[in-house]
Amino acid sequence: MYQNPFTERFLVIAEKPSVARTIASVLACTDRKDGYLEGPDSVVSWCFGHLAEYAIPEEYDERYRKWSLEALPIIPEKWKLLVSEDKAKQFGILKDLLNNRDFTYVVNACDAGREGELIFNRVYELSGSRMPVKRLWISSMEDSAIREGFRNLKSAEAYRNLAEASVCRAQADWLVGMNASRAFTKVYDYRLSVGRVQTPTLAMLVDRENEITNFQKQQYFMTHLLVESMGKTIDAVSEHFTDQEEANRLAGMCRGRMATVPSIERRTKTVAPPKLYNLTTLQRDANRLFGYTAAKTLECAQSLYENKLITYPRTDSNY
């Protein structure tokens, strides 16, 4: 069990209920309440992923309800965050907890990454809380890793740049999606969805499909030089020639002439084992071997992480 070295009472907010339950067991928060778990010196609650999202354009101005090129670009002067209707109850619980003066500070225990920063900060901002924030940064759900993480909590300021990057990414997604989708829809008179990530990715798939569809076979020629050496036949192969005469010319230059093998060298090579999977390579192999979609692989990896079988999967790191 985690032993709090201080006397303060603190609040912990995790990204998902399953993660919150694991953290709560380490902190001895066994008293189940509506939307949180309570212990002797701490309370653990959770989000359900993104509790809040940026408002759609018509929430800023009623004139945006009708799509038109004249209204573009739509660039909010002040960004509005709205809580999802199906998650409003949990947000209300978090808001009350974040404004509870019994707590000395709140621990951001959302997933260790950019999205985890965004999920927590949106709830914190909407709650109007001024409670000091500390960051739990762990990549494993093992009890020992959680205890170590709480012993080494950092100030939220240490992750300020990452938090700002998450806001930048979210606003870029909104600006591209809302403006470009409306622009392309009006220009082509067909409902089109455009996104900062989805559209370039789709373009890559289309380009690759076109390459495959329009692939033209091209004949090429190679010259083989067969050399007898020490009772073995060595096959030396030339580069590819598009012109058969070039291949024949090289063969003619070698025909009837002596080839010398000056030395034979044998060496033993040591090949290092491959690095661990990151999410991208895991998704690629899972699709190749088992036909899993990227979403299915992520779902499996997330479940394994929450059951303490792998470290945090949503990272580019191979270590």
Side-chain angles (χ1 to χ4, degrees):
M1 186 183 77
Y2 168 75
Q3 297 293 328
N4 183 10
F6 309 102
T7 58
E8 300 100 340
R9 185 169 171 78
F10 61 94
L11 170 66
V12 181
I13 297 180
E15 189 168 317
K16 306 174 190 71
S18 57
V19 176
R21 287 192 293 269
T22 302
I23 293 174
S25 68
V26 175
L27 298 179
C29 296
T30 56
D31 190 5
R32 292 180 176 273
K33 303 289 185 180
D34 187 13
Y36 62 92
L37 294 154
E38 189 168 8
D41 54 12
S42 59
V43 166
V44 180
S45 189
W46 54 84
C47 305
F48 290 109
H50 286 277
L51 289 181
E53 301 282 358
Y54 284 128
I56 57 178
E58 44 265 45
E59 294 287 344
Y60 293 93
D61 194 317
E62 188 63 27
R63 67 191 176 96
Y64 293 139
R65 191 172 295 279
K66 181 181 179 181
W67 290 24
S68 68
L69 291 174
E70 292 73 23
L72 303 179
I74 303 170
I75 304 176
E77 291 185 14
K78 185 176 181 181
W79 292 83
K80 293 182 181 179
L81 282 170
L82 296 179
V83 177
S84 304
E85 289 185 11
D86 59 334
K87 300 175 182 178
K89 179 183 177 182
Q90 185 63 19
F91 171 74
I93 293 169
L94 290 171
K95 182 178 180 180
D96 290 343
L97 291 171
L98 283 165
N99 288 282
N100 188 330
R101 295 187 178 182
D102 289 345
F103 299 117
T104 306
Y105 59 89
V106 57
V107 177
N108 174 6
C110 292
D111 290 348
R114 189 175 62 182
E115 286 305 292
E117 289 296 300
L118 188 66
I119 289 169
F120 174 85
N121 286 328
R122 281 178 169 177
V123 171
Y124 184 81
E125 177 185 335
L126 282 174
S127 73
S129 176
R130 294 294 178 266
M131 193 184 302
V133 180
K134 297 186 179 184
R135 187 56 158 113
L136 175 70
W137 192 272
I138 55 175
S139 59
S140 169
M141 293 307 296
E142 289 290 333
D143 290 358
S144 58
I146 295 172
R147 285 192 289 268
E148 182 66 20
F150 273 99
R151 282 193 289 265
N152 294 280
L153 292 175
K154 294 185 179 180
S155 168
E157 183 64 21
Y159 299 93
R160 181 170 60 86
N161 289 342
L162 184 64
E164 291 180 352
S166 71
V167 172
C168 181
R169 193 278 307 158
Q171 292 181 355
D173 280 354
W174 192 97
L175 290 170
V176 172
M178 294 301 178
N179 287 284
S181 293
R182 292 176 179 230
F184 276 82
T185 295
K186 296 305 294 181
V187 168
Y188 293 99
D189 195 26
Y190 188 85
R191 187 65 177 260
L192 295 170
S193 175
V194 179
R196 178 184 64 88
V197 175
Q198 73 175 35
T199 302
T201 304
L202 179 60
M204 292 168 64
L205 292 172
V206 171
D207 288 344
R208 182 60 179 153
E209 178 64 21
N210 287 337
E211 288 177 8
I212 295 170
T213 303
N214 300 320
F215 176 74
Q216 297 292 329
K217 292 183 179 180
Q218 187 176 25
Q219 190 176 34
Y220 62 86
F221 305 91
M222 296 184 299
T223 300
H224 288 259
L225 178 63
L226 301 179
V227 181
E228 295 291 338
S229 175
M230 301 176 64
K232 294 183 179 180
T233 302
I234 300 173
D235 185 9
V237 184
S238 71
E239 61 184 14
H240 292 184
F241 294 103
T242 55
D243 184 357
Q244 186 175 3
E245 288 303 316
E246 288 290 324
N248 289 335
R249 188 178 301 113
L250 177 59
M253 294 171 61
C254 298
R255 188 173 290 113
R257 308 185 72 175
M258 182 70 68
T260 303
V261 179
S263 65
I264 296 177
E265 181 179 337
R266 293 184 177 88
R267 64 176 65 178
T268 301
K269 288 187 176 181
T270 301
V271 179
K275 296 177 183 176
L276 298 176
Y277 280 114
N278 60 22
L279 181 57
T280 302
T281 54
L282 180 63
Q283 287 171 324
R284 186 182 300 128
D285 276 3
N287 177 262
R288 178 175 61 85
L289 297 172
F290 307 115
Y292 288 179
T293 64
K296 174 67 175 177
T297 303
L298 175 58
E299 179 186 343
C300 293
Q302 188 68 31
S303 176
L304 290 170
Y305 166 64
E306 292 174 10
N307 284 280
K308 307 181 184 182
L309 296 173
I310 63 172
T311 52
Y312 183 57
R314 300 192 190 194
T315 172
D316 291 332
S317 176
N318 296 98
Y319 300 93

